[in-house]
Amino acid sequence: MTTIASEIIPVSDRIELRAIDERFTSELHSLVIKNKSWLQTAFDWAQYVGTEEDTRRNAQSNQMLHQRGYAKMFLIYQDQALKGVLSFNSIEPTNKTGYIGYWLDKGSQGQGILSQSLQAFMRYYVGRGEIRRFVIKCRVANSQSNSVALRNGFVLEGCLKEAEYLNGDFHDVNSYAKIIRL
């Protein structure tokens, strides 16, 4: 049986997804701090990251959710260097639906790392029979995230009005989905 600490999804000869584990805390914290200013424009949680202990508690919480199957968090590694995060922020087991979240180091964007990782991630969970409907929700104004969804074959299902509170304002959110059957 695979333990969470050893769960790896191969993406390519240079890229792999590693399940969240507390041992990655320092590396993850450094990457979040490095990208904090732009992360705060996209994610509410980024403003609350201060110390490495904050990141450790977050990693522990996500590790527990991962083990219980309520969410799945993976770290994106390219050439053994941490580049970002790809996750199911939540999972509806009965509906076999996973709600995807992601972010990539600003300096690593535009190289196909995220799209390759997303494709491998979806194949992995379809192959396990756990997820068949993949959902990406992103602010309408986040053109990069909308492009990721479209580039990877997701279909726009609708726009949720003022559905996300970020930096003191409510924002409209596009909801994309992709269904993959075995």
Side-chain angles (χ1 to χ4, degrees):
M1 182 175 168
T2 303
T3 64
I4 184 175
S6 64
E7 190 176 4
I8 294 175
I9 300 173
V11 175
S12 71
D13 58 338
R14 297 180 58 208
I15 303 169
E16 67 183 15
L17 305 176
R18 298 178 188 171
I20 185 64
D21 187 86
E22 191 178 345
R23 72 177 185 256
F24 301 125
T25 296
S26 185
E27 220 176 342
L28 179 58
H29 183 73
S30 294
L31 192 65
V32 169
I33 295 302
K34 175 185 171 195
N35 288 277
K36 189 172 181 176
S37 62
W38 84 261
L39 284 170
Q40 287 177 298
T41 68
F43 303 106
D44 188 56
W45 59 261
Q47 66 184 311
Y48 301 108
V49 177
T51 67
E52 191 169 305
E53 188 55 32
D54 295 333
T55 303
R56 181 177 319 287
R57 281 192 299 273
N58 181 272
Q60 290 169 335
S61 173
N62 278 291
Q63 192 171 351
M64 182 186 67
L65 291 170
H66 191 113
Q67 289 169 332
R68 293 181 179 174
Y70 297 126
K72 299 289 180 181
M73 182 177 178
F74 286 87
L75 305 178
I76 303 169
Y77 278 83
Q78 180 187 42
D79 299 327
Q80 303 302 314
L82 179 60
K83 298 295 182 171
V85 173
L86 177 59
S87 64
F88 286 128
N89 294 332
S90 65
I91 295 172
E92 295 175 1
T94 303
N95 297 325
K96 294 186 182 276
T97 299
Y99 294 85
I100 298 172
Y102 46 81
W103 64 269
L104 203 59
D105 173 58
K106 192 133 179 91
S108 300
Q109 295 174 8
Q111 301 173 33
I113 296 168
L114 186 55
S115 288
Q116 290 176 64
S117 298
L118 182 56
Q119 292 297 322
F121 185 63
M122 291 187 297
R123 277 193 308 272
Y124 180 79
Y125 281 99
V126 167
R128 293 170 56 114
E130 293 178 29
I131 306 293
R132 62 181 287 284
R133 179 176 163 77
F134 299 87
V135 177
I136 294 175
K137 291 182 177 179
C138 51
R139 282 180 304 107
V140 170
N142 186 339
S143 60
Q144 288 179 300
S145 196
N146 283 272
S147 292
V148 167
L150 293 170
R151 255 195 326 273
N152 285 281
F154 284 72
V155 175
L156 178 64
E157 293 190 319
C159 180
L160 309 170
K161 299 297 179 189
E162 298 186 13
E164 182 177 331
Y165 187 74
L166 178 65
N167 298 323
D169 268 328
F170 287 95
H171 299 269
D172 294 349
V173 173
N174 283 332
S175 183
Y176 295 92
K178 181 172 184 168
I179 296 172
I180 304 174
R181 296 176 182 92
L182 282 177

